Amino acid sequence: MASNSPSPEGIDVPETPTAGAWGEWNPTEDSARSVRGKHRVLKQRGGLARSSTVLGVGVIAAVGAGGIATAQDRPQVAISMPSLPDLPDLLGGGHASGAAGADTAAPAAAAAQGAGIPGQADGRGHGQADAGEALRHRILQQAESQQEAVETQARADAERTAREAAAQEARTQKEAADKEVETARVAAEEAAAEKAEADRAAEAAATTAAKAAEGGGSASGAGTKSSGGYSLPTSSYTLTSHYGDSGSMWSSGHHTGLDFAAPTGTPVKAVGGGKVVSAGWSGAYGYRIVLQLDDGTEVWYCHLSSMSVTSGTVGAGETIGRVGATGNVTGAHLHLEVRKGGSTVDPLAWLESKGLSV
């Protein structure tokens, strides 16, 4: 294509030179040598001469004009998007160099994302969503495991509490049953002792009546009560230990009272009129009643199974308790002590001084 544009130096550029004209131009060292720092104008055969600068400008102008004309004359080419399976490789698989690759990949990824086509960004989003779902699932599993552990511990605690409550209830019931059995036994023994006492009293009364009818002496109560208003502490007994006996059984080294061995439940009576000043548990003495007589003498009734009178005034011969085996004992008996001024005296001698036959 011809170009009529003037050159920078005002030299007219003719039509595109023929191949022969270009081919015959062969600069030499003499022809190409510069004169005084400037380009030397070379003359071609046919009368045409131009500098290297003019030649370069002309070639660029000719090529550019030809390219434009060629682009205008060519038909339009349709541009199509690549198929969907190849789009991820097109966007992220290759390593494009230069601004053109980046400019092409960015709009394509945006268009794919807007059209709902999965791409790199969408894949990262799905990956993050899957990781979050897995984390949530693990947290829920841990919470369920902890809840199950708490419920299991609560059930175990409830079962243990129920077992302990049942065991305690069983122990309570057993203790109550044992207490009832012991109470019934003591009551039976007391009833048997009362019956034996009543039988003996009836027999003594019958004997006294018979003697009175025969005129064979005065009724003295068969030795149970003296004319001075004193009474023996119990009946149907056997003396087993006397005052002053020594042995390891007594903490003081010797016996401080008089022991009347009798069945548990045998009635214990006041030896004289007075008032009960103490009644209750007393260590080695077991259940004890302290009777203070009118003259200040104290009579101790020890190892009792039960106490009928715990305070107030009583008369001679009145039942105040029952024989037992409480405290430090080896069998059922009544331990009787007599104290004057805080010191013990021999109970046997004191009873005999009151006119009682022991």
Side-chain angles (χ1 to χ4, degrees), residues 194-289:
E194 289 180 353
K195 183 177 182 302
E197 179 68 15
D199 291 343
R200 286 192 296 271
E203 183 180 356
T207 302
T208 301
K211 289 182 178 181
E214 294 175 358
S218 60
S220 61
T224 58
K225 184 180 294 186
S226 69
S227 57
Y230 287 91
S231 174
L232 290 175
T234 188
S235 58
S236 301
Y237 58 85
T238 300
L239 296 178
T240 55
S241 296
H242 291 75
Y243 180 80
D245 289 348
S246 60
S248 60
M249 294 184 299
W250 300 290
S251 58
S252 61
H254 65 277
H255 197 219
T256 56
L258 184 64
D259 288 348
F260 296 79
T264 298
T266 301
V268 174
K269 301 177 181 181
V271 295
K275 63 179 181 179
V276 176
V277 296
S278 176
W281 182 261
S282 183
Y285 287 108
Y287 287 109
R288 181 191 67 175
I289 294 176

Side-chain angles (χ1 to χ4, degrees), residues 19 34 39 78 87 189 267 299 322 344:
S34 61
H39 294 288
L87 184 57
E189 292 177 354
V299 182
R322 295 186 181 277
T344 59

Side-chain angles (χ1 to χ4, degrees), residues 16-265:
T16 303
T18 63
W22 289 106
E24 292 178 358
W25 181 44
N26 186 14
T28 63
E29 183 179 357
D30 295 336
S31 63
R33 186 170 48 193
S34 61
V35 180
R36 294 181 182 178
K38 296 184 179 179
H39 294 288
R40 182 178 180 183
V41 179
L42 300 179
K43 292 183 180 181
Q44 293 289 338
R45 185 176 295 178
L48 180 62
R50 47 176 72 87
S51 67
S52 61
T53 303
V54 174
L55 179 60
V57 172
V59 171
I60 293 173
V63 172
I68 294 174
T70 303
Q72 290 177 351
D73 294 339
R74 290 181 181 176
Q76 295 182 354
V77 179
I79 300 174
S80 61
M81 293 294 290
S83 61
L84 292 179
D86 298 333
L87 184 57
D89 295 335
L90 180 62
L91 296 178
H95 298 282
S97 61
D103 294 341
T104 304
Q113 185 177 1
I117 301 173
Q120 281 187 341
D122 193 17
R124 287 194 298 270
H126 280 296
Q128 293 175 356
D130 293 342
E133 181 65 20
L135 178 59
R136 186 181 70 86
H137 184 65
R138 287 197 299 271
I139 292 173
L140 291 177
Q141 284 183 337
Q142 291 178 358
E144 291 176 357
S145 300
Q146 293 176 357
Q147 182 65 25
E148 291 178 357
V150 170
E151 292 177 355
T152 301
Q153 184 63 33
R155 287 193 297 269
D157 293 342
E159 292 176 357
R160 183 175 65 256
T161 302
R163 289 194 300 269
E164 292 176 354
Q168 181 62 32
E169 180 66 20
R171 288 193 296 269
T172 302
Q173 293 178 357
K174 184 178 182 301
E175 291 175 357
D178 293 343
K179 187 175 181 180
E180 290 178 358
V181 170
E182 181 64 19
T183 302
R185 184 185 66 80
V186 172
E189 292 177 354
E190 291 177 353
E194 289 180 353
K195 183 177 182 302
E197 179 68 15
D199 291 343
R200 286 192 296 271
E203 183 180 356
T207 302
T208 301
K211 289 182 178 181
E214 294 175 358
S218 60
S220 61
T224 58
K225 184 180 294 186
S226 69
S227 57
Y230 287 91
S231 174
L232 290 175
T234 188
S235 58
S236 301
Y237 58 85
T238 300
L239 296 178
T240 55
S241 296
H242 291 75
Y243 180 80
D245 289 348
S246 60
S248 60
M249 294 184 299
W250 300 290
S251 58
S252 61
H254 65 277
H255 197 219
T256 56
L258 184 64
D259 288 348
F260 296 79
T264 298

